[in-house]
Amino acid sequence: MMHKHRLAHRRLWPWLAVALAGLFVAALVLRAPPATSALLPAPQERAP
Amino acid sequence: MSAGFVAVGWNRRKLVYDAVVLACMAAFIGGYIVVAATLKPPDGALGWIDLRLKAFGACAFVMLTLILCIGPLARLDRRFLPLLYNRRHLGVLMFSTAAAHAAFMVEWYVAQGALANLASELTTWGDYARFIGFPFKVLGIAALAILAVMAATSHDYWNAFLSAPVWKALHMSVYAAYGLVLMHVALGYMQSERHPLVPILFGGSFVLVAALHLASARREALRDMAVVQPGGDWLTVCPPGAIPDKGARIVMAEGGERIAVFRDGNMIGALSNACSHQNGPIGEGCIIDGLVTCPWHGWQYRLQDGRAPPPFTEKLATYRVRLRDGVIEVDPKALAPGTAAAITV
């Protein structure tokens, strides 16, 4: 049973990697224009 | 091998390993700060905090990437095994660096007397429904929590307490932490930093990790396919002379269990391929001083019965072997750990 579980994991990993790559590319493609994004928004820009 | 709790079993190799890692970390963080401050001088105290935050974050990411590459590298080329030997220390140092990165983030808010804004960022629930604009710091915090559990259990005491399979499963969550960190960067730093090198470096690191894992998995699968010849209830391995002396051939039973068939002179024995320490690939090790030795951390077992030599008590499952028509065969049904099953040919 454990080994079947291990094999299932082996099949799962590549799909997880593909999903992660997709999310990364989406985050890259959908980047907002530079003026409206910031790594650490200034406190006054956020609601208290 | 663990016979009881020992704080840390230091030896010269571990000290050298840790000294080299610390020196590399200092060089990376120092170099990052010097270069970044030269190219764009930080704006006041807040700017310096931001620079430290980025330097430690980048260092932690590089260390995490390296940690994930060590496993497949060691399987592809034995020359990388020394890196694997003390990988847990590298993991704890990486967690410490990531924790410092998080501490600088908090300091950034505290320096402005605006810690409430951090809480506000993390509890603006509407943002959780967005992709761009998702509270990326939560992803970093989640990754840090996983790494904290891993760092706290990075000791043979926990390995023995939890048992090797549970401990290994727990530490496989490093991949979840890596995914969270990658998205933390993608939805955070990469959104504001427009230099093309940023996605290239971070995306490239992901491609490197994935490619090395695929290459090592493919090599393992090809090797198994090349060796396994199902023949009735027993698995056909190869003639005794085809097993390297003091080495092993690995066969895979139906269901995925790997069996390491070792030869020590004219003695042939089959053991589970998973070391009882950290599930290391026993069959990729060799026989040293008459004992089967795991390539990862040097845990040893007798070929005759899979038992560690006294005073150690670890045992591996063994398998019946036989010589038939000049070919070694293995019964894929595992015997109880520590059962004598080796034969002389």
Side-chain angles (χ1 to χ4, degrees):
Chain A
M1 182 62 78
M2 185 180 164
H3 305 303
K4 282 183 183 166
H5 181 66
R6 212 181 278 168
L7 282 178
H9 266 258
R10 266 187 217 159
R11 292 190 191 107
L12 183 65
W13 286 117
W15 290 110
L16 286 175
V18 169
L20 184 58
L23 286 170
F24 185 85
V25 171
L28 180 64
V29 172
L30 298 173
R31 280 195 294 186
T36 59
S37 63
L39 170 61
L40 289 168
Q44 61 273 21
E45 289 175 12
R46 309 288 304 196
Chain B
M1 285 178 266
S2 58
F5 179 82
V6 180
V8 175
W10 290 103
N11 58 33
R12 190 174 180 279
R13 280 183 72 181
K14 285 186 180 178
L15 288 169
V16 169
Y17 189 108
D18 287 2
V20 170
V21 172
L22 285 168
C24 290
M25 286 169 63
F28 183 96
I29 293 169
Y32 187 107
I33 290 174
V34 167
V35 170
T38 306
L39 293 174
K40 188 181 174 189
D43 190 13
L46 219 50
W48 280 105
I49 296 172
D50 189 39
L51 186 52
R52 285 204 305 270
L53 183 151
K54 287 174 181 166
F56 276 76
C59 184
F61 186 86
V62 169
M63 290 173 78
L64 182 56
T65 303
L66 179 63
I67 286 166
L68 292 179
C69 289
I70 288 174
L73 276 175
R75 307 199 93 165
L76 290 167
D77 190 329
R78 298 177 64 83
R79 283 174 295 182
F80 289 102
L81 276 171
L83 289 177
L84 195 142
Y85 171 68
N86 213 19
R87 184 171 53 175
R88 279 184 283 175
H89 287 216
L90 189 55
V92 172
L93 286 169
M94 180 270 294
F95 163 71
S96 307
T97 311
H101 166 74
F104 292 137
M105 184 267 290
V106 174
E107 185 189 3
W108 191 88
Y109 285 92
V110 170
Q112 300 172 88
L115 198 54
N117 291 64
L118 175 59
S120 168
E121 270 188 62
L122 300 178
T123 54
T124 304
W125 308 118
D127 286 351
Y128 285 86
R130 301 164 64 190
F131 181 59
I132 301 297
F134 187 89
F136 68 93
K137 294 187 185 79
V138 167
L139 301 174
I141 292 166
L144 194 64
I146 292 173
L147 297 175
V149 172
M150 289 180 59
T153 55
S154 278
H155 190 284
D156 276 348
Y157 170 79
W158 285 103
N159 193 350
F161 182 76
L162 296 171
S163 79
V166 173
W167 187 90
K168 191 70 185 173
L170 177 69
H171 281 241
M172 287 291 277
S173 60
V174 69
Y175 290 99
Y178 182 70
L180 289 167
V181 168
L182 194 69
M183 290 315 295
H184 169 71
V185 172
L187 296 175
Y189 184 62
M190 202 171 77
Q191 296 300 311
S192 60
E193 183 53 63
R194 315 298 290 192
H195 199 288
L197 265 181
V198 174
I200 290 172
L201 287 176
F202 285 103
S205 76
F206 171 73
V207 170
L208 176 70
V209 169
L212 283 172
H213 280 77
L214 280 174
S216 97
R218 184 172 166 76
R219 183 173 151 161
E220 208 165 57
L222 283 173
R223 188 182 51 203
D224 289 341
M225 281 168 59
V227 173
V228 177
Q229 303 284 335
D233 292 338
W234 290 61
L235 297 174
T236 303
V237 184
C238 60
I243 304 173
D245 191 23
K246 314 282 185 204
R249 294 292 294 266
I250 300 169
V251 293
M252 188 164 70
E254 199 181 349
E257 173 70 10
R258 283 195 167 82
I259 302 167
V261 184
F262 275 91
R263 181 166 78 88
D264 188 6
N266 58 358
M267 184 193 289
I268 307 276
L271 307 171
S272 162
N273 193 46
C275 178
S276 66
H277 179 213
Q278 285 185 24
N279 283 354
I282 281 281
E284 293 174 26
C286 57
I287 293 177
I288 299 172
D289 298 331
L291 295 166
V292 173
T293 305
C294 179
W296 279 14
H297 300 94
W299 282 37
Q300 293 187 305
Y301 307 88
R302 293 194 302 233
L303 180 57
Q304 300 91 310
D305 53 15
R307 291 172 183 263
F312 304 108
T313 55
E314 290 80 12
K315 288 179 280 190
L316 293 181
T318 55
Y319 297 83
R320 289 192 298 156
V321 287
R322 69 183 181 192
L323 182 65
R324 197 179 185 192
D325 299 332
V327 174
I328 293 293
E329 294 182 339
V330 179
D331 181 356
K333 289 187 283 295
L335 300 171
T339 306
I343 60 168
T344 302
V345 294

